[in-house]
Amino acid sequence: MGDENTGKIVTRFAPSPTGFIHVGNVRTALYAWLLARKHNGKFILRIEDTDKKREVEGSIQHIMDSLKWVNLAWDEGPDIGGENPPYLQSERLATYKKYADILVEKGLAYADPYTPEEIDAFRKKAEEEKKPFLYRTHRPENPSVWDGTKPLRLKVTPKKYQWHDVTRGELEAGEEAVDDFILIKSDGYPTYNFAHIIDDLLMGVSHVMRGQEFIASTPNYLALYEALEIDKPELVTMPPILGDTGGKKMGKRDGAKDILDYKKEGYLPQAMLNYLAFLGFNPGGEQEVFTAEELIKVFDLSKIQRSGARWSDEKLNWFNKEHMKLLPASEIEKNILEWLPENMRDVKLVPVIFERISKWSDVKDMAERGELDLFFKTPTYQKEKLIFKNSTAEDTKKNLELAINALSEINEDNFTQDTIKDSLMSLADKLEKRGAMLHPVRFALSGLDKSPDPFTIASVIGKNETLSRLQYAQKAIS
């Protein structure tokens, strides 16, 4: 089954507020958002905050800030409300209690009488007997009335389950995959396994984007759908995002960064979306650089891949640079100047820097590494390095004098990269090797083995400084 659905497409992103969200979380939200937008459907932000022990203060705002950065606007959520409020699970406890009571009345849920220690003993015995631990083999015959002080468990019927996954196709699991799982904990909060199914039902969710780790739990979910006599939504399993070595799923424990760290590093949100879309999805064709609007048009569930996608900083940087190239020149200039130290904010540097960066923070890094010092400080160097290979000091001195005379003729108002290049190249082309002219000029201006070309350097530092550096080099080699 592909994108088509007879009813309205409703998707959701339902993170837990247990810290920052990383690229894998945002890609799940992106695919859900793309599907909803493509079909003029609805994208819901729901916060699954039922595990109060793991909740981190400020996480909910952080989640919203992260989605806002990449421009994934939600249609319903904790900050804007919607048709099915509230959007924090901790504020929906009465709803879960209502559905729990329905299951109890149907004889399909019961109070768990055992202590955690007793359950651990059951589990240990199963391990000793080399059997899988199944709680239902210890199901009490006459459980007490559930009063909310004990966990409530679903009473499943062990059987084989088969189901359809949009990306994985037909899947199945034997009866050993089904067990009496907890619906409501003894603290009154629902488990994820219960709450998300109730919320998806009441919010009309049509498609659930999820990680592959939820495949193993699907038989239990199917048992709950049956017990409640409701239809399941379409299940869309995402391929994992692997670390840069390609061998292991990338997660918080494996160095996955907070998505907002990429913002701090100067990545563009549109580039991040473009890259994340391609981590597990391929629309076909040669085009790689897409706007959000273009991604919406080409997004198709049938083109989500099954196999894992390897994260690559190098590829992200490529996408980012391609999107930077699409920015207006004024925005490029504004950002580069903002990332430079105040004493280096020279508009002439903008094209030089832009050619060498893939994200805005590279500007700051270039400055801190001293790569821009040559534009602000007279270089120091060993005079021998001015001499081009197989050339002589006398020839080098003569070529520097030719360069000085030629550049002196250029009007200061017209001392541009093009005029400088034309002037120097007309001289260099007359020599046996161009390097005999261009190398000493470049080295005299930069003092570095590797640097921008001499035309660029001269145009940035200006006529007076250029001539001063060339004259110093000419004297140094005498």
Side-chain angles (χ1 to χ4, degrees):
M1 189 176 296
D3 287 353
E4 299 307 316
N5 189 287
T6 54
K8 184 175 183 178
I9 299 290
V10 179
T11 63
R12 47 80 164 171
F13 178 52
S16 298
T18 53
F20 66 81
I21 61 174
H22 56 74
V23 291
N25 306 130
V26 177
R27 188 197 57 177
T28 299
L30 171 61
Y31 283 14
W33 181 84
L34 287 171
L35 182 63
R37 291 292 174 266
K38 180 170 184 176
H39 295 282
N40 296 314
K42 187 189 297 182
F43 174 61
I44 298 171
L45 173 62
R46 188 175 75 217
I47 304 297
E48 302 196 336
D49 61 337
T50 57
D51 190 344
K52 290 301 179 182
K53 292 179 182 177
R54 295 180 60 230
E55 187 170 333
V56 175
E57 186 178 354
S59 290
I60 295 175
Q61 186 60 50
H62 191 84
I63 288 166
M64 294 192 290
D65 290 344
S66 299
L67 295 183
K68 286 176 181 176
W69 176 57
V70 288
N71 299 308
L72 296 184
W74 49 95
D75 304 300
E76 298 181 14
D79 58 333
I80 59 174
E83 296 177 8
N84 300 284
Y87 294 89
L88 298 179
Q89 285 187 335
S90 59
E91 297 176 2
R92 298 174 64 86
L93 301 186
T95 298
Y96 307 130
K97 173 72 164 51
K98 171 186 169 184
Y99 281 87
D101 287 338
I102 290 173
L103 291 170
V104 171
E105 289 169 14
K106 294 173 74 171
L108 296 177
Y110 61 92
D112 178 351
Y114 301 114
T115 64
E117 292 75 20
E118 287 173 316
I119 293 175
D120 283 342
F122 295 151
R123 184 176 284 107
K124 186 175 289 187
K125 184 178 180 183
E127 289 174 2
E128 291 171 354
E129 296 175 353
K130 296 183 178 179
K131 294 178 180 178
F133 170 69
L134 291 169
Y135 180 93
R136 56 182 164 81
T137 60
H138 304 279
R139 185 186 295 164
E141 291 184 12
N142 297 299
S144 58
V145 175
W146 180 57
D147 60 5
T149 62
K150 295 182 182 299
L152 182 71
R153 288 184 180 267
L154 181 68
K155 183 179 181 181
V156 301
T157 301
K159 65 175 184 176
K160 180 179 180 180
Y161 277 98
Q162 297 176 315
W163 70 95
H164 175 80
D165 186 292
V166 173
T167 54
R168 299 299 180 95
E170 305 307 315
L171 300 175
E172 62 179 44
E175 63 179 47
E176 72 282 352
V178 189
D179 201 10
D180 291 4
F181 64 91
I182 294 176
L183 303 171
I184 305 283
K185 296 174 286 187
S186 58
D187 62 4
Y189 281 89
T191 59
Y192 166 82
N193 292 340
F194 184 46
H196 87 274
I197 286 178
I198 302 303
D199 291 339
D200 288 346
L201 168 68
L202 298 178
M203 295 180 184
V205 172
S206 63
H207 292 70
V208 173
M209 310 286 180
R210 62 188 198 156
Q212 65 177 7
E213 64 271 19
F214 292 103
I215 291 177
S217 301
T218 303
N220 280 337
Y221 302 159
L222 296 174
L224 182 54
Y225 290 129
E226 285 183 356
L228 292 170
E229 300 179 58
I230 59 176
D231 295 329
K232 74 171 181 66
E234 295 288 348
L235 304 177
V236 186
T237 298
M238 305 283 98
I241 296 178
L242 307 175
D244 55 10
T245 58
K248 186 179 180 184
K249 179 182 175 183
M250 189 164 71
K252 291 181 182 179
R253 296 187 183 95
D254 307 298
K257 293 194 298 190
D258 180 343
I259 190 70
L260 290 182
D261 282 348
Y262 292 97
K263 177 184 179 182
K264 294 172 186 173
E265 291 172 14
Y267 285 95
L268 300 178
Q270 58 269 39
M272 178 60 75
L273 278 191
N274 193 167
Y275 179 52
L276 288 179
F278 274 73
L279 283 178
F281 167 76
N282 191 334
E286 297 298 317
Q287 182 180 350
E288 287 189 271
V289 179
F290 285 79
T291 64
E293 291 73 24
E294 289 171 329
L295 286 172
I296 290 169
K297 288 178 183 176
V298 300
F299 189 70
D300 187 332
L301 292 180
S302 68
K303 293 180 179 177
I304 294 177
Q305 300 160 355
R306 292 189 182 191
S307 57
R310 186 172 69 87
W311 178 268
S312 166
D313 285 338
E314 183 180 345
K315 190 65 175 178
L316 171 61
N317 289 339
W318 179 85
F319 271 106
N320 201 64
K321 185 57 180 280
E322 292 303 303
H323 279 275
M324 289 170 80
K325 292 174 185 176
L326 299 175
L327 296 173
S330 59
E331 190 170 342
I332 292 171
E333 179 181 304
K334 173 178 172 288
N335 278 284
I336 287 178
L337 293 179
E338 284 180 353
W339 281 84
L340 279 171
E342 283 189 36
N343 64 330
M344 289 186 174
R345 290 178 182 171
D346 186 339
V347 173
K348 291 180 183 176
L349 279 175
V350 169
V352 181
I353 293 172
F354 188 65
E355 186 181 328
R356 291 164 173 77
I357 62 171
S358 57
K359 56 185 182 297
W360 301 130
S361 63
D362 290 346
V363 177
K364 181 171 176 282
D365 293 341
M366 284 180 71
E368 289 178 349
R369 287 195 299 265
E371 293 177 25
L372 302 175
D373 288 354
L374 69 97
F375 296 105
F376 300 93
K377 300 176 183 176
T378 302
T380 57
Y381 46 80
Q382 296 174 315
K383 63 181 182 179
E384 292 79 12
K385 287 197 170 187
L386 288 164
I387 302 171
F388 187 61
K389 56 187 177 183
N390 301 323
S391 188
T392 66
E394 190 60 34
D395 285 343
T396 301
K397 181 180 177 182
K398 189 185 301 181
N399 290 333
L400 283 170
E401 184 172 356
L402 289 171
I404 290 167
N405 292 336
L407 295 177
S408 297
E409 294 295 317
I410 302 174
N411 189 292
E412 194 164 348
D413 294 336
N414 197 32
F415 202 73
T416 65
Q417 187 171 339
D418 288 339
T419 56
I420 296 165
K421 184 175 182 180
D422 289 343
S423 178
L424 293 178
M425 290 304 293
S426 67
L427 296 172
D429 285 339
K430 294 174 184 176
L431 302 175
E432 186 178 342
K433 291 188 176 180
R434 290 177 174 177
M437 165 72 70
L438 300 180
H439 170 77
V441 171
R442 185 194 65 78
F443 200 86
L445 296 179
S446 70
L448 299 172
D449 292 329
K450 292 182 179 180
S451 73
D453 63 70
F455 328 117
T456 299
I457 299 172
S459 68
V460 173
I461 65 177
K463 181 177 178 178
N464 290 340
E465 180 65 17
T466 296
L467 294 176
S468 175
R469 293 186 187 188
L470 293 179
Q471 288 162 353
Y472 172 84
Q474 189 186 30
K475 291 177 183 175
I477 208 166
S478 298

